Amino acid sequence: QVQLVESGGGLVQAGGSLRLSCAASGRTFSGNAMGWFRQAPGKEREFVATIIWSGVSTLYADSVKGRFTISRDNAANTVYLQMNSLKPEDTAVYYCAASARTSSLLNRTERWYDYWGRGTQVTVSS
């Protein structure tokens, strides 16, 4: 059974940093794109960042570009999201996602991803 488990969320003041981790089990994703999405209260889930299997290419939402960094460790089957200069509008549940496709394409749409974690809460206070 494939599982994605996020960790690292919490409460932080504006301007602070958090590092999210997503550990995958049940299969390896070393040849697949992985990504992060988020959902704020009362809003639809939105794309945050994605990274191809090699880690060479990444794609970010405009709202987080320059502040967030996605990375991965294929040996550990884990993807990370380093979040700096956090703002109150970054408050959301953050979800890890993984694609079953062996592709080098970057994609920001939810339907590209086949596996999802349960999410971790990030709250940024002003």
Side-chain angles (χ1 to χ4, degrees):
Q1 181 181 1
V2 176
Q3 284 191 316
L4 302 178
V5 179
E6 303 95 337
S7 61
L11 173 64
V12 64
Q13 288 189 332
S17 298
L18 283 175
R19 188 192 194 207
L20 305 184
S21 299
C22 171
S25 62
R27 63 160 284 178
T28 179
F29 289 101
S30 60
N32 310 84
M34 298 185 74
W36 289 93
F37 289 74
R38 68 185 181 186
Q39 186 168 21
K43 295 187 177 181
E44 293 186 352
R45 188 158 59 184
E46 65 176 4
F47 167 77
V48 175
T50 185
I51 185 168
I52 64 169
W53 66 273
S54 66
V56 171
S57 295
T58 57
L59 180 67
Y60 297 93
D62 288 344
S63 58
V64 307
K65 202 174 296 183
R67 301 187 296 122
F68 291 10
T69 302
I70 188 171
S71 62
R72 64 190 297 164
D73 181 346
N74 287 336
N77 220 18
T78 299
V79 64
Y80 305 96
L81 187 68
Q82 177 67 44
M83 305 186 295
N84 299 328
S85 301
L86 282 162
K87 305 175 181 180
E89 51 264 42
D90 294 319
T91 295
V93 177
Y94 283 71
Y95 297 91
C96 173
S99 174
R101 299 165 180 79
T102 52
S103 169
S104 294
L105 296 177
L106 294 168
N107 198 300
R108 64 174 68 224
T109 59
E110 289 190 33
R111 62 177 180 272
W112 185 256
Y113 300 89
D114 304 282
Y115 304 99
W116 293 83
R118 292 188 174 185
T120 184
Q121 176 70 47
V122 171
T123 302
V124 184
S125 63
S126 57

